[in-house]
Amino acid sequence: MHQSVERALNVIAAESSEPEYTEAFSAAHAVVVEFGEENLADRLFADIPDTISFRQVARLFDFLAWQTEDNGSAMTRTVERWLVEGTSLRKIQIALNLEVYPFPDEHEMHRVLSAVAVSHPQVAGICQSLMSSQKTTCGFCIGVPLVE
């Protein structure tokens, strides 16, 4: 694993229990500087060993979205592709644990997540949760529930 990725994962983990992040954004920025933005999600997936929790990887991806020129749009499209392919449970788990909803189209999201839930029953609960909670959010505030 590249040193900048390891550092970013460690900083994010350490600061997760703090009232605010002080170094996490700059650590994530260092990853983007080292890797570049092209195919970032796929390249990071290949770089990060399976011993790192999928939740930690998803959290890193969330921070990286704030560091890319397109605010994580390309990374989101990549993880949507991972969901459509449905071949790697780890990729699916990362995609389902991001702070954004996959797919701009609600019908496509339901179609893909329903298929993922059938082919990978261990993530069926989170698929159902995403499909249900998406109905209670504002289209302008993707990922931000209107009600708790």
Side-chain angles (χ1 to χ4, degrees), residues 46 78 92 95 139:
T78 298
I92 290 167

Side-chain angles (χ1 to χ4, degrees), residues 50-99:
D50 291 347
T51 56
I52 304 298
S53 149
F54 67 84
R55 285 186 177 86
Q56 287 179 276
V57 178
R59 193 75 181 121
L60 172 62
F61 280 25
D62 288 333
F63 275 90
L64 289 170
W66 294 97
Q67 302 302 316
T68 60
E69 294 284 325
D70 65 357
N71 293 319
S73 180
M75 291 181 65
T76 301
R77 299 298 80 82
T78 298
V79 299
E80 288 171 353
R81 176 177 46 82
W82 292 354
L83 291 168
V84 169
E85 292 169 351
T87 56
S88 166
L89 178 60
R90 182 168 172 81
K91 285 180 177 180
I92 290 167
Q93 290 170 318
I94 293 166
L96 294 176
N97 282 279
L98 297 176
E99 291 184 353

Side-chain angles (χ1 to χ4, degrees), residues 121-141:
Q122 58 272 58
V123 296
I126 193 167
C127 288
Q128 187 57 48
S129 177
L130 282 169
M131 290 185 286
S132 296
S133 67
Q134 197 270 345
K135 293 176 183 172
T136 64
T137 60
C138 163
F140 299 105
C141 311

